[in-house]
Amino acid sequence: MFDVKKIIEEITSEKQIKNLSFAGVGGSLACFYAAYYYVQREAKNITTSYTSANEFVHDTPACIGENSIVVIASRGGNTAETVEAGRVAKSKGATVIGLTHEAQDTGIHEVSDYTIVFEDGEGIPFEVGKSAYILKIAYETLYQVEGTGQYEAMVEAMNKMNELVPAAQKAIVPEAIQFSIQYKDNPVIYTMGSGTAWSAAQQETICILMEMQWINSAVIHTGEYFHGPFEITDPDTAFLLLKSTGKTKALDERAIRFLDQYNHHHTVIDLEKYGSHELGEVSEYYDYDFHTALLDVFNHLLADMRDHPLSKRKYMWKYKY
């Protein structure tokens, strides 16, 4: 396990950190949203940005400089846009923390001042995964720099996720089986969410339904649902709503009430049924991670039911793009 506390201590002993920013693409960008959201809500003085890597390269946020920590991530370690974002960040004087699944010899290692090698897969504790390390970077930075961020509660919740996630993944199997049967033939599936759960919904749309299942999809923030998107709601429109456990839960509940009245084909994943209440007042910052873990069960069953492996691609890694 990598000692994030020590990494941040080393950085803050040399620099006065005023900015913590995140740059990545696809699932790695989605992983950053919870930490970005946390910094926005909890920091008193530290600024933050959340930018798609190639946009970061071509239109770098003005906040990036020698008092910045920029966090980048690439599972394989060589995502070109993300590696280049790391180079740009370093050229601005920022300290770069890179996350990858590969132990050595990647572009992420090359451009990062600190490299964290994360783990994933069955039986791997939550706290050594990519998004867990990202949250650790966020709460250690806020705590060490300005003493904010509900530090003790965040650390306690991180530890609890190690047991809550695998138990919830087992418990939700019946619900996931039902979803795979009911949604396997839908040509379009809309995902919905708010708070950090919005990012889990967005990741589900672009990385799973569109990329891995070739199902047309769009993500809808529940706060925006009544300002345009709800006009596409029919009785059989397929929706998957990821319910928040935090302050934005009211937004989700409003959307659910409408769907209950006008739609008969929506699934709501409610984390409170699977132990999220044990995370206490900071549970909303873990909604992305908790939902993503449960969606992993849904996605494998949906792929099996559709006879469409999650590894199947038409373009990705096959052509120059």
Side-chain angles (χ1 to χ4, degrees):
M1 185 185 301
F2 286 78
D3 191 341
V4 174
K5 182 176 182 178
K6 184 177 180 181
I7 291 173
I8 302 303
E9 284 175 349
E10 289 184 9
I11 296 171
T12 56
S13 70
E14 299 174 357
K15 291 184 174 184
Q16 183 181 1
I17 296 301
K18 299 179 180 180
N19 170 263
L20 176 59
S21 289
F22 308 92
V25 295
S28 291
L29 181 62
C31 275
F32 289 138
Y33 189 75
Y36 163 76
Y37 189 96
Y38 166 81
V39 175
Q40 274 199 325
R41 269 57 179 183
E42 297 288 340
K44 299 298 183 183
N45 299 298
I46 292 175
T47 60
T48 186
S49 65
Y50 168 85
T51 317
S52 184
N54 213 19
E55 185 171 320
F56 185 97
V57 169
H58 292 280
D59 191 13
T60 311
C63 60
I64 306 301
E66 62 182 14
N67 299 115
S68 296
I69 296 173
V70 175
V71 189
I72 60 175
S74 166
R75 191 181 192 283
N78 290 307
T79 305
E81 300 95 326
T82 302
V83 173
E84 186 61 24
R87 288 196 182 96
V88 170
K90 290 192 75 170
S91 74
K92 300 287 185 181
T95 299
V96 176
I97 301 177
L99 295 99
T100 179
H101 189 261
E102 302 304 313
Q104 58 187 358
D105 298 330
T106 72
I108 292 293
H109 287 83
E110 177 188 343
V111 302
S112 299
D113 296 291
Y114 297 88
T115 302
I116 294 173
V117 179
F118 62 85
E119 302 176 51
D120 55 25
E122 189 174 351
I124 300 298
F126 168 77
E127 65 179 322
V128 297
K130 177 169 58 175
S131 56
Y133 277 124
I134 294 165
L135 269 179
K136 288 180 183 180
I137 291 168
Y139 67 62
E140 286 292 347
T141 300
L142 263 60
Y143 180 65
Q144 292 188 34
V145 174
E146 58 181 42
T148 58
Q150 303 187 75
Y151 182 74
E152 292 80 8
M154 289 295 289
V155 173
E156 184 178 356
M158 178 68 69
N159 293 330
K160 287 182 178 180
M161 286 286 282
N162 289 323
E163 296 183 359
L164 286 176
V165 166
Q169 286 179 317
K170 291 180 181 179
I172 205 168
V173 168
E175 193 173 338
I177 292 173
Q178 185 178 30
F179 176 87
S180 69
I181 294 170
Q182 294 178 347
Y183 286 71
K184 65 182 178 65
D185 296 321
N186 286 123
V188 180
I189 301 175
Y190 294 101
T191 65
M192 300 178 70
S194 67
T196 70
W198 173 86
S199 187
Q202 191 257 0
Q203 179 175 272
E204 181 71 7
T205 280
I206 70 168
C207 295
I208 304 298
L209 297 178
M210 297 176 76
E211 176 188 334
M212 299 185 186
Q213 289 298 289
W214 306 350
I215 296 172
N216 289 309
S217 183
V219 62
I220 304 169
H221 193 287
T222 54
E224 292 295 298
Y225 178 58
F226 296 101
H227 302 279
F230 75 145
E231 286 294 340
I232 55 87
T233 303
D234 290 319
D236 297 322
T237 308
F239 291 98
L240 173 61
L241 191 150
L242 310 182
K243 189 176 179 181
S244 171
T245 66
K247 302 176 187 68
T248 66
K249 181 167 63 174
L251 282 65
D252 303 335
E253 291 176 337
R254 181 187 178 197
I256 292 168
R257 287 193 296 271
F258 185 88
L259 290 171
D260 284 344
Q261 184 173 1
Y262 296 104
N263 175 266
H264 308 298
H265 192 34
H266 57 277
T267 292
V268 177
I269 299 182
D270 186 350
L271 298 180
E272 292 182 359
K273 293 167 51 180
Y274 298 100
S276 66
H277 59 280
E278 295 186 32
L279 300 175
E281 61 183 342
V282 297
S283 66
E284 62 188 319
Y285 299 130
Y286 287 87
D287 282 352
Y288 163 81
D289 300 290
F290 214 144
H291 273 298
T292 298
L294 298 189
L295 284 169
D296 188 55
V297 181
F298 276 59
N299 296 335
H300 279 89
L301 286 168
L302 180 63
D304 289 346
M305 187 62 65
R306 299 181 72 244
D307 193 25
H308 187 119
L310 293 171
S311 59
K312 191 174 182 179
R313 302 290 189 277
K314 283 189 291 188
Y315 305 111
M316 189 172 284
W317 308 308
K318 297 180 182 294
Y319 301 95
K320 184 177 180 180
Y321 51 89

